[in-house]
Amino acid sequence: MTHARATKAPHPRDVLLGAQAGAVTLPVCDHYAGVEARMRKSLALQAQWAAERGACPFDVTLDCEDGAPVGGEAEHAALVVALVQGLDWPAPVRPRVGVRVHPVDHPAFEADVATIVGAVGDRLTHVMCPKVESVADVERAAAALDAAGAPALALHVLIESPAAVHRAFDIAAHPRVVSLSFGLMDFVSAHGGAIPAEAMALPGQFEHPLVRRAKLEIASAAHAHGKVPSHCVVTEFRDRDAVREAARRAAREFGYTRMWSIHPDQIEPIVQAFQPSEQAVATAAEIIEQAAAAYWAPISHQGHLHDRASFRYFWQVLERAHATGVPLPESVRGYFS
C-alpha cells in the first residue's frame, strides 16, 4: 500500500549527482578571442545570444597568451580589464567571461594575474592557464589567484605535451581545477616531427593514434574527477559542417562535453552538435518525471527498468538541453527556474 508524501521529491541535483559524472557543468562552447576588435565582437555576440535565449550558451575567454603582442603584454592585460569593466548586462543574466593568461613560467604570468584578476577577478568565470605540465604548475597558478584576491576563482588548464597527458589524472584531481582542455597544435609539434601535420587538421586529428590516445586520456582524467573535458580547436573555421561534425565526434566518440571556438562562425555549429535531440529530451523528461513521482525509487519505463544510475544519465540529458537552448517539456521545466 502506498501513502502520499507530505513533501515534494528532492531536486535531481541533490539526489543524482556526486563527485563524478556531472559534478561540474559549463557551457558547451568556449570561444577564444585575443585581438581587440574580435574581443569586442565576441562579447557583443554573447550579450545578443543571452538576450535572445535568456542564458549564456557559450563562454568568452579573452586571450592574453596568443593575443598579446611580444613586448605589449602589460597593455594587453590593461585592455582586458577595461573590456570586462565595461560589461553591463541587465539582471539576472550575467556575462560568462574568462581570461587566458601566460604560462606560469612566462615572465608576464604574475603581472597578468595581478593586473586582471586583481582588478576584475570577481567578474570573471575562470582563468585559463596554458602549458600546464604538472600539479606544481597548478599550485603556482592557484597561489597567484589567491594572492590577487580571488581564492574561489575557477582554474581551467590546457594540456599540451606528452608529459602533461601522462600526468592528466593527477592534474584533474586538484580541487582548484574545473576543466581540462587539449592543446592539439602544441601537442603535435612537441613530438619533433613524429606526428604529421595532417594530424592538426580534419579528419587527421581524429585518426592519428597518438592524438586519439591523448584526447581519450584527457577526457577520462576529467570525468574521473568530475571535471569538464574541453575539446581542441578546429582550424577549418569557415566550414561549418566540418566544425559541426568535429564537435559531434568529440562528444559522441571521445566523451567531451565542451569545445573551443576560435571564430564566431564556429559557435553555432558547436552548440548544435552538443544539443540532444528532441526525442532524447522527451524520453529523458518522461523518465525523470516518473522517477521523481516515485521519490527516485526504481521504475519501469517502456519495458525497461531504471534506477538512480540511469536516472543520472537522463537528468544530464535535460541539463545539456537546457544549457544549449533545446525547449524542455513542461513537466521538467520547473527544475531549471
Side-chain angles (χ1 to χ4, degrees):
M1 180 177 180
T2 59
H3 299 276
R5 295 180 184 261
T7 59
K8 294 196 317 182
H11 194 285
R13 291 194 191 100
D14 297 330
V15 175
L16 305 179
L17 302 182
Q20 297 181 351
V24 176
T25 58
L26 294 173
V28 297
C29 182
D30 187 11
H31 178 65
Y32 278 72
V35 177
E36 180 177 359
R38 293 177 185 172
M39 289 193 287
R40 292 186 182 278
K41 181 178 180 180
S42 300
L43 293 171
L45 182 62
Q46 188 191 60
Q48 176 187 332
W49 277 43
E52 294 172 353
R53 308 181 188 207
C56 287
F58 64 93
D59 284 347
V60 171
T61 299
L62 304 177
D63 189 9
C64 289
E65 184 192 19
D66 293 337
V70 175
E73 291 87 358
E75 292 80 5
H76 197 79
L79 170 62
V80 168
V81 170
L83 290 174
V84 175
Q85 288 176 332
L87 296 175
D88 185 19
W89 288 18
V93 182
R94 291 188 58 199
R96 289 194 53 88
V97 180
V99 59
R100 176 163 71 163
V101 297
H102 285 84
V104 295
D105 58 356
H106 190 281
F109 167 72
E110 300 286 351
D112 277 352
V113 175
T115 298
I116 300 170
V117 178
V120 293
D122 60 334
R123 308 191 90 190
L124 299 176
T125 57
H126 63 275
V127 167
M128 165 58 77
C129 188
K131 296 180 173 58
V132 167
E133 289 291 316
S134 65
V135 173
D137 289 346
V138 177
E139 294 283 4
R140 182 172 173 182
L145 297 187
D146 293 347
L153 185 56
L155 185 61
H156 297 192
V157 298
L158 190 51
I159 306 296
E160 304 184 69
S161 74
V165 170
H166 176 70
R167 303 182 187 109
F169 280 82
D170 293 334
I171 292 170
H174 194 282
R176 196 61 173 274
V177 172
V178 169
S179 176
L180 279 73
S181 293
F182 176 45
L184 171 66
M185 308 303 176
D186 281 281
F187 178 81
V188 170
S189 61
H191 284 76
I195 301 177
E198 289 81 1
M200 292 188 287
L202 296 174
Q205 67 161 277
F206 289 101
E207 296 175 351
H208 193 280
L210 285 175
V211 177
R212 288 176 59 90
R213 174 179 172 273
K215 290 185 181 186
L216 292 170
E217 285 289 303
I218 291 169
S220 182
H223 287 299
H225 294 285
K227 311 300 173 66
V228 174
S230 188
H231 192 261
C232 58
V233 300
V234 169
T235 57
E236 294 90 339
F237 64 89
R238 295 203 180 278
D239 189 339
R240 293 169 63 91
D241 290 338
V243 172
R244 187 180 295 105
E245 176 62 11
R248 187 196 66 81
R249 295 192 67 181
R252 299 187 185 184
E253 298 178 30
F254 291 82
Y256 283 81
T257 57
R258 179 171 164 99
M259 182 168 166
W260 284 37
S261 159
I262 54 173
H263 190 278
D265 287 349
Q266 293 185 326
I267 297 172
E268 184 76 53
I270 289 173
V271 172
Q272 289 173 347
F274 279 92
Q275 287 177 330
S277 68
E278 291 183 6
Q279 182 56 55
V281 172
T283 299
E286 290 173 3
I287 291 173
I288 291 300
E289 181 184 15
Q290 190 176 342
Y295 283 75
W296 309 110
I299 65 168
S300 172
H301 178 266
Q302 296 183 357
H304 293 269
L305 291 174
H306 293 283
D307 59 16
R308 293 185 193 180
S310 55
F311 296 162
R312 175 188 294 174
Y313 169 82
F314 291 108
W315 169 249
Q316 289 166 342
V317 170
L318 296 180
E319 286 199 316
R320 181 68 54 76
H322 175 69
T324 55
V326 178
L328 294 171
E330 180 65 32
S331 60
V332 295
R333 204 172 296 158
Y335 287 128
F336 298 91
S337 61

